[in-house]
Amino acid sequence: CPANNTNASQEAIWSPGPPPSCRCPDPVEVPVGYEQVDIGEWRCAENYTGIPVATCVVGANCSSPHLVLEGCFLVVPCAPPSLSYLTNRTQCLSVPHGSDCNASCVDTFCVRGGVVRYECPLMNTDPSRSPDVIAGQCEVVCEVCSAEDFVDVDVRADVLSGSFKFGPVHSSGDMAVTGIEGYRVYFADGCGQRRGELLGYVPVGDKAYDCCVAEAHAVELDGVAVPPYATQLMISLVGTYEEGMGEFPFGVGVAFQDIFVNASATPPKAPTNFAARHAGALPATT
């Protein structure tokens, strides 16, 4: 009833008042990675980083209120360096956050360089992140001496058949290369990344070459479907595992032309040039 009311017929005025206050109780067991500073105030625990966010989750009529803490993440070392850096695979396997580590280049004939210095970012929380390179470089000095243009003989679109021929490995004209056990052939995109399955493996063999023989090796393709985004055929070297190398991350790329028969057209053949439909095709390396 209003104060100082003089109206005998005045009805009482109802007011809902403020809503009931729901306060979350502190968790019985504090989640790992969090520390309570004061009532309603939290921080990330030691070896954790981030911005803690406390959310009170309640049911209807304030039933079963409980506190949910989010935003703190465990600080972890970096993963091993990417194999593409060509450093010793037994070194810098776990670089602590905010630290650096030196790794030597793989000790094999086809890799040159000194020491590569890696650094893991401070407060890294991604266990799959590789460390960053801050100094040094390893370089591949070998490749096949020749890779012929691939000629498709399959009449179907986006399907390749034919013989892909290439020469033996060399290093600046020197054919006496050691530490290589074979070659792998696969489809790749314009950035040299593998697309699809392995097309073939060719062992180096026992024959020694005094000069570049363009047709020393071959991989036969028989009705192979071209994967999406593939623009070239790639030949990569496979090093001996005894020297700690394995497959080299780079290779020689050769653009290909897919030729097919168009049954609805008058000309018997028309080039689709699958490689030309995507940017980044590489010419043959000789």
Side-chain angles (χ1 to χ4, degrees):
C1 182
N4 300 321
N5 175 57
T6 59
N7 183 2
S9 62
Q10 171 69 49
E11 295 182 355
I13 301 174
W14 176 80
S15 174
S21 175
C22 299
R23 180 184 180 277
C24 270
D26 293 334
V28 176
E29 293 186 7
V30 177
V32 176
Y34 299 86
E35 292 180 351
Q36 188 170 20
V37 180
D38 202 344
I39 297 177
E41 186 177 351
W42 298 86
R43 69 184 177 192
C44 294
E46 186 178 3
N47 296 324
Y48 284 78
T49 186
I51 300 176
V53 176
T55 304
C56 187
V57 179
V58 296
N61 299 319
C62 288
S63 63
S64 304
H66 61 280
L67 198 66
V68 175
L69 295 171
E70 298 176 303
C72 292
F73 304 94
L74 179 65
V75 177
V76 295
C78 282
S82 170
L83 300 180
S84 63
Y85 295 135
L86 303 172
T87 53
N88 190 310
R89 300 181 183 184
T90 66
Q91 299 172 347
C92 299
L93 296 180
S94 179
V95 183
H97 76 100
S99 301
D100 57 57
C101 178
N102 293 329
S104 59
C105 294
V106 175
D107 184 16
T108 185
F109 183 94
C110 289
V111 176
R112 298 287 185 272
V115 174
V116 175
R117 185 180 179 188
Y118 296 106
E119 183 180 63
C120 184
L122 185 65
M123 296 299 174
N124 174 57
T125 59
D126 183 0
S128 65
R129 173 176 179 150
S130 295
D132 300 321
V133 175
I134 58 176
Q137 181 180 8
C138 301
E139 180 183 4
V140 176
V141 296
C142 300
E143 63 181 6
V144 295
C145 64
S146 174
E148 294 189 349
D149 292 339
F150 177 77
V151 179
D152 178 34
V153 296
D154 200 299
V155 297
R156 294 168 293 178
D158 295 339
V159 177
L160 301 184
S161 294
S163 182
F164 181 43
K165 301 177 181 180
F166 55 92
V169 62
H170 80 119
S171 177
S172 300
D174 182 5
M175 307 302 296
V177 174
T178 61
I180 301 298
E181 66 177 29
Y183 312 89
R184 284 180 179 163
V185 176
Y186 51 88
F187 285 111
D189 59 21
C191 295
Q193 298 297 313
R194 180 179 298 184
R195 295 289 177 176
E197 300 297 324
L198 181 70
L199 297 176
Y201 172 80
V202 179
V204 170
D206 298 328
K207 185 175 181 179
Y209 294 91
D210 296 326
C211 62
C212 183
V213 179
E215 299 183 357
H217 307 293
V219 169
E220 302 298 327
L221 304 185
D222 184 12
V224 178
V226 178
Y229 308 109
T231 63
Q232 55 185 326
L233 293 169
M234 186 74 70
I235 311 164
S236 68
L237 304 177
V238 180
T240 57
Y241 286 91
E242 292 78 10
E243 296 186 1
M245 187 59 233
E247 183 174 356
F248 283 68
F250 314 109
V252 173
V254 178
F256 57 83
Q257 185 180 68
D258 178 23
I259 297 180
F260 73 100
V261 171
N262 188 343
S264 63
T266 302
K269 286 191 175 183
T272 65
N273 199 346
F274 191 98
R277 294 204 299 265
H278 303 85
L282 299 180
T285 300
T286 57

